[in-house]
Amino acid sequence: MTQIKLGRGDCGIFERAVEYEWLITNGIGGFASSTVCETNTRRYHGLLVAAFEPPAVRILLVAKLDITVRYRGQEYPLFCNEFADGTVAPKGYVHLESFHLDNGLPVWRYAVADALIEKRIVMKPGQNTTYVNIQVLRASDELIVELTPLCTYRDYHSHSHGGWNLGLREILHGFEVNAFSGACAYQLSCEQATFIPDPVWYWNFKHRSETARGLDDSEDLFRPGHFTLSLGEGEQAAVVISDEVGIAEDFTTVQQQLREQQLTVLQSLPTDAPGWIKQLALAAGQFIVDRYQGGLPAGKTVIAGYPWFADWGRDTMIALPGLTLALGRFDIAASILRTFAVHVSDGMLPNRFPDNGAEPEYNTVDATLWYFHAIDQYTQISGDITLSEELYPVLADIIDWHRRGTRYGIKADLNDGLLAAGEDGVQLTWMDAKVGNWVVTPRIGKCVEINALWYNALKIMAGFAGQFGHTLQARDYQTAAIQVKDSFQRFWNPDRNCLYDVIDGTEGDQGADGNHYDNRLRPNQIFAVSLPHSPLPTEQQKSVVDSCSHELLTSFGLRSLARGELGYVPYYQGNPAQRDSAYHQGTVWAWLLGPFMDAHFRVYQDAEKARSFLEPLCTHLADACIGQVSEIFDAAPPFAPRGCFAQAWSVSEILRAWLNLHER
């Protein structure tokens, strides 16, 4: 497998090294992340962000483990911190020889004099447990190693400030923290080391990424003391950070377990898959997590993005084919689909499971329609019809609710069969940014991608009904699909030779029939070509693809609004209000490359050309979060990565589209 590797030129310059991030996860919503130079720049950075009600209730426990080595009479700090007054110290990154991913897992190598020290970090699958392993690869003398943990106990969306008692208690080979009454205790230990208590607060760490996001940007961290040990050439030691008591596995065992899992994933790929596709396959696994209920596993779900998203219905259904089906993970796909079936309410899938463990929120029109697509893709790719037959009553009930009407004005229009949705103050489609009471892209009415999905769902249901012996329902669904296909021509914009974004809504020009038509060029129309069942004739499909190619396509995805359109914003920057106002007003979305490639291949039947649109993503894997794909990018060159540094549907759609076209 081709390694993603950074050398001295990237690691040894602070302003460059601080921009590179890394991520590991534990399969239950917890994770560890920071920068390559180990300066935390986000409130979400830390060595253990634990998920106490998987995959929700995520709490930052340990922010850092600062390492200092003493070798042949010299002291070498291998870490770096940035403080609120602008101080950057110590400059441990100058000793960083390289950083690379070993089958998706981060590895640092530090050179001090003739000694070479390697650090690896892994998380135990299914546990809130992080291992930090230090190994001396080369040395002519003994090294004295000092490991200084910086601790806290806070919701990962917030910042903590010092002065309170974290309830330190010494244990064998380390210490335990009981932050306050009702908090979950956690432990740090190192069998090879001596722990020396020396509790003190460190003040005013700066998180520069939060500064750029217009948010509070500093916090304090608690140092319980430090571990000290000596290591010679070939020797290693691991610090274990966990909310579990009596960890049985050592670092080597856990690393081997992870390698076996990785090998299984890689074996599912074509033998000639390039290294960056292999890395995407490994990255895909970081988003699949267990959902718990009442303290027990209750199926699988998908984290929409790291570091701040939980599991979202829309993102899960869009990402599911690439994260699971493309890699042959049919059991995981079935578990996810069953998990969400349990939460269907009034014909709707939940849009979001709040991170605090509260009740799910039902404020989406497209997540439910993507559910049909995901189930259909599962059936087509796996060859297993038992799941779709099992879930058929749920799907039929969803169709009934959409026809007679459910929340937020979601209802099929009896006159044309098209699906209308929306109310003032809410946004039900994936373009869901809101600033206070201002919905940036309201899209009330009949949205083009919603009706492409609606038509696709009706065709899927006609097929399922016929397959399962429901003859009358099959005819009914087919008749409804024909009506939607005929009415879909209302979306055709002859002046621009593409599709209106929304019709019969509150935005856009008023037509001769008295209805409004939003003719701004957006990427939502691409789904009318990319979905398995397209409501468009061939010549219109080609026009849609060409319009998106010429006006929306960039190196890393499609713009959410064409340049020159009213409201276009070229850069996603500033405070929350400024960023939200740009979120769908030009900002590039990587996940849209997947449907764009499907549509392009459908029209032009040139797999090689379609795959060529993905080539810039190969270099992006060595940018931002190493080995991952960002959520969004600026709409203008150089298309800087923004938003979440690791996004499920970005990874999944790029991986799925590449694999889908590989053999064509």
Side-chain angles (χ1 to χ4, degrees), residues 74 130 140 169 217 281 321 371 393 410 419 462 481 510 557 561 585:
Q74 296 291 321
T130 300
S140 56
R169 181 176 73 88
D217 60 0
Y371 188 53
I410 300 172
L419 196 64
Q510 191 170 24
L561 183 66
Q585 296 291 76

Side-chain angles (χ1 to χ4, degrees), residues 448-647:
V448 64
E449 84 281 10
I450 300 306
N451 281 282
L453 285 162
W454 177 232
Y455 174 72
N456 193 60
L458 289 169
K459 291 290 290 183
I460 289 169
M461 285 301 287
F464 283 164
Q467 190 173 18
F468 303 143
H470 306 294
T471 306
L472 292 178
Q473 283 184 308
R475 292 175 183 169
D476 180 38
Y477 294 138
Q478 182 62 23
T479 300
I482 292 172
Q483 183 187 22
V484 171
K485 183 175 183 177
D486 291 341
S487 299
F488 202 87
Q489 282 302 304
R490 295 189 58 217
F491 283 101
W492 186 249
N493 182 351
D495 294 333
R496 303 190 69 171
N497 223 25
C498 62
L499 297 173
Y500 291 113
D501 192 56
V502 183
I503 64 175
D504 299 353
T506 59
E507 302 284 319
D509 300 327
Q510 191 170 24
D513 57 3
N515 295 312
H516 286 87
Y517 294 81
D518 187 347
N519 69 355
R520 285 174 291 185
L521 186 59
R522 293 190 183 275
N524 302 301
Q525 61 188 295
I526 200 69
F527 299 105
V529 187
S530 66
L531 289 166
H533 302 284
S534 171
L536 295 177
T538 303
E539 62 274 13
Q540 289 183 353
Q541 292 178 9
K542 182 177 183 299
S543 293
V544 166
V545 171
D546 289 345
S547 294
C548 291
S549 297
H550 301 155
E551 302 296 334
L552 302 176
L553 181 65
T554 73
S555 298
F556 301 117
L558 299 188
R559 293 185 180 93
S560 48
L561 183 66
R563 295 165 295 181
E565 298 284 8
L566 181 66
Y568 171 77
V569 182
Y571 299 103
Y572 180 84
Q573 295 175 342
N575 61 36
Q578 291 170 320
R579 285 182 283 111
D580 284 345
S581 66
Y583 205 35
H584 299 291
Q585 296 291 76
T587 296
V588 170
W589 290 76
W591 78 277
L592 295 173
L593 275 178
F596 174 79
M597 286 177 60
D598 293 337
H600 193 281
F601 178 74
R602 184 178 209 154
V603 168
Y604 288 103
Q605 292 295 301
D606 187 336
E608 184 177 356
K609 181 178 286 187
R611 284 198 305 272
S612 72
F613 294 115
L614 292 182
E615 290 178 4
L617 272 301
C618 176
T619 59
H620 172 65
L621 293 186
D623 192 13
C625 184
I626 307 300
Q628 275 285 354
V629 182
S630 299
E631 176 190 15
I632 54 178
F633 300 78
D634 283 338
F639 309 115
R642 306 290 184 187
C644 274
F645 55 59
Q647 194 76 1

Side-chain angles (χ1 to χ4, degrees), residues 153-194:
Y153 192 106
R154 62 164 173 84
D155 177 89
Y156 78 142
H157 291 303
S158 66
H159 276 132
S160 64
H161 296 284
W164 46 292
N165 184 359
L166 261 68
L168 185 66
R169 181 176 73 88
E170 288 189 62
I171 61 172
L172 183 64
H173 305 303
F175 64 92
E176 180 179 85
V177 172
N178 286 275
F180 51 82
S181 177
C184 294
Y186 64 92
Q187 299 181 348
L188 282 81
S189 62
C190 179
E191 287 189 8
Q192 301 90 336
T194 299

Side-chain angles (χ1 to χ4, degrees), residues 130-151:
T130 300
Y131 297 77
V132 181
N133 191 74
I134 310 298
Q135 183 175 13
V136 178
L137 301 181
R138 183 182 70 220
S140 56
D141 203 346
E142 190 175 67
L143 288 87
I144 304 300
V145 182
E146 183 177 284
L147 308 167
T148 303
L150 298 177
C151 301

Side-chain angles (χ1 to χ4, degrees), residues 74-388:
Q74 296 291 321
E75 183 172 279
Y76 301 93
L78 305 184
F79 63 97
C80 179
N81 292 307
E82 185 173 17
F83 297 92
D85 64 358
T87 300
V88 176
K91 295 178 171 57
Y93 54 85
V94 300
H95 306 299
L96 186 53
E97 188 90 332
S98 66
F99 172 90
H100 72 273
L101 296 184
D102 179 5
N103 282 342
L105 299 175
V107 182
W108 293 257
R109 286 189 173 180
Y110 295 91
V112 295
D114 65 334
L116 187 64
I117 304 149
E118 182 177 88
K119 182 178 76 173
R120 292 174 178 259
I121 302 179
V122 301
M123 297 190 83
K124 169 71 176 174
Q127 287 185 2
N128 293 314
T129 302
T130 300
Y131 297 77
V132 181
N133 191 74
I134 310 298
Q135 183 175 13
V136 178
L137 301 181
R138 183 182 70 220
S140 56
D141 203 346
E142 190 175 67
L143 288 87
I144 304 300
V145 182
E146 183 177 284
L147 308 167
T148 303
L150 298 177
C151 301
T152 185
Y153 192 106
R154 62 164 173 84
D155 177 89
Y156 78 142
H157 291 303
S158 66
H159 276 132
S160 64
H161 296 284
W164 46 292
N165 184 359
L166 261 68
L168 185 66
R169 181 176 73 88
E170 288 189 62
I171 61 172
L172 183 64
H173 305 303
F175 64 92
E176 180 179 85
V177 172
N178 286 275
F180 51 82
S181 177
C184 294
Y186 64 92
Q187 299 181 348
L188 282 81
S189 62
C190 179
E191 287 189 8
Q192 301 90 336
T194 299
F195 176 67
I196 302 172
D198 186 18
V200 67
W201 279 93
Y202 285 12
W203 308 96
N204 297 319
F205 290 90
K206 181 180 178 65
H207 292 158
R208 58 167 52 197
S209 293
E210 307 301 336
T211 309
R213 297 173 66 219
L215 301 172
D216 61 298
D217 60 0
S218 67
E219 78 167 337
D220 310 322
L221 296 171
F222 179 68
R223 184 197 71 188
H226 62 267
F227 296 94
T228 184
L229 68 157
S230 62
L231 293 174
E233 184 174 272
E235 295 180 331
Q236 62 183 342
V239 175
V240 183
I241 309 167
S242 183
D243 68 349
E244 302 273 344
V245 176
I247 300 298
E249 299 92 345
D250 60 13
F251 164 79
T252 302
T253 301
V254 173
Q255 181 175 242
Q256 183 59 35
Q257 291 171 352
L258 291 169
R259 284 176 172 166
E260 291 171 1
Q261 291 180 4
Q262 293 158 350
L263 181 61
T264 300
V265 172
L266 295 177
Q267 287 175 337
S268 69
L269 295 173
T271 55
D272 60 344
W276 72 278
I277 289 296
K278 294 178 180 179
Q279 174 54 41
L280 278 183
L282 296 175
Q286 295 187 309
F287 300 100
I288 299 171
V289 299
D290 293 327
R291 170 163 281 284
Y292 277 55
Q293 189 169 356
L296 297 174
K300 298 284 187 179
T301 188
V302 170
I303 293 293
Y306 295 96
W308 52 70
F309 283 130
D311 49 341
W312 291 59
R314 174 190 301 121
D315 297 61
T316 297
M317 294 308 131
I318 291 172
L320 183 143
L323 298 184
T324 61
L325 304 179
L327 300 172
R329 300 171 177 173
F330 302 128
D331 56 336
I332 295 176
S335 177
I336 293 170
L337 294 169
R338 288 190 174 100
T339 298
F340 273 83
V342 173
H343 295 282
V344 171
S345 168
D346 293 353
M348 295 178 66
L349 246 66
N351 185 37
R352 186 171 78 97
F353 290 94
D355 198 64
N356 61 6
E359 290 299 309
E361 299 173 358
Y362 294 87
N363 55 348
T364 171
V365 60
D366 47 0
T368 310
L369 301 175
W370 280 111
Y371 188 53
F372 287 84
H373 177 67
I375 293 173
D376 179 54
Q377 290 298 291
Y378 171 87
T379 305
Q380 297 294 328
I381 297 172
S382 72
D384 172 24
I385 67 169
T386 59
L387 180 67
S388 53

